Amino acid sequence: QVQLVESGGGLVQAGDSLRLSCAVSGRNLGNYAMGWFRQAPGKEREFVGTFFWTNGRIDYADSNEGRFTISRDSAKNTLLLQMNALKPDDTAVYYCAAGALGYSTKSYQYANGYSYWGQGTQVTVSS
């Protein structure tokens, strides 16, 4: 079992930055992919990016336009999502997820491949 708890969301203005955290506990994540997804009202859950725990490889959605950065705080066993130059379109509930997914198949880009999910944290960007 893996437990995931997101934090760091809030209300910001367009152009601001925000850093989300995902605290990880439970089993060893040696071969797991850790994904960030977001879901806006009335829309499907959308891939933001993935961090591969075993080797630190990262892949991002093209829609991030280079504004988002994923990293890991190994000491705290926490996954981070730094979001810069936020736009109103970034408004959504942001989720972290964990799954035994490999890089080659690109299955990590799809929400249904992940086994564990956090409760989500709301990010609201005002114009």
Side-chain angles (χ1 to χ4, degrees):
Q1 287 284 347
V2 176
Q3 291 79 44
L4 306 172
V5 179
E6 302 96 334
S7 62
L11 172 62
V12 297
Q13 293 185 334
D16 286 351
S17 298
L18 205 57
R19 189 177 77 168
L20 306 183
S21 298
C22 175
V24 183
S25 61
R27 63 155 287 163
N28 185 292
L29 293 175
N31 63 339
Y32 269 47
M34 296 292 301
W36 281 103
F37 287 79
R38 66 185 184 184
Q39 189 165 19
K43 295 187 177 181
E44 293 187 355
R45 199 161 291 191
E46 177 187 23
F47 172 69
V48 174
T50 289
F51 182 98
F52 289 87
W53 209 258
T54 186
N55 59 14
R57 190 169 190 171
I58 304 173
D59 191 31
Y60 296 100
D62 292 339
S63 59
N64 296 344
E65 302 172 317
R67 298 179 294 121
F68 295 177
T69 303
I70 296 174
S71 61
R72 172 177 59 185
D73 184 336
S74 297
K76 298 180 180 179
N77 216 35
T78 298
L79 187 71
L80 304 171
L81 176 64
Q82 176 68 40
M83 303 185 294
N84 298 327
L86 284 163
K87 306 175 181 180
D89 284 348
D90 295 319
T91 295
V93 178
Y94 284 71
Y95 299 91
C96 68
L101 302 168
Y103 179 82
S104 60
T105 65
K106 303 293 185 182
S107 58
Y108 59 86
Q109 296 180 356
Y110 302 95
N112 60 9
Y114 290 81
S115 303
Y116 304 98
W117 290 85
Q119 81 288 353
T121 185
Q122 176 71 47
V123 172
T124 303
V125 185
S126 63
S127 57

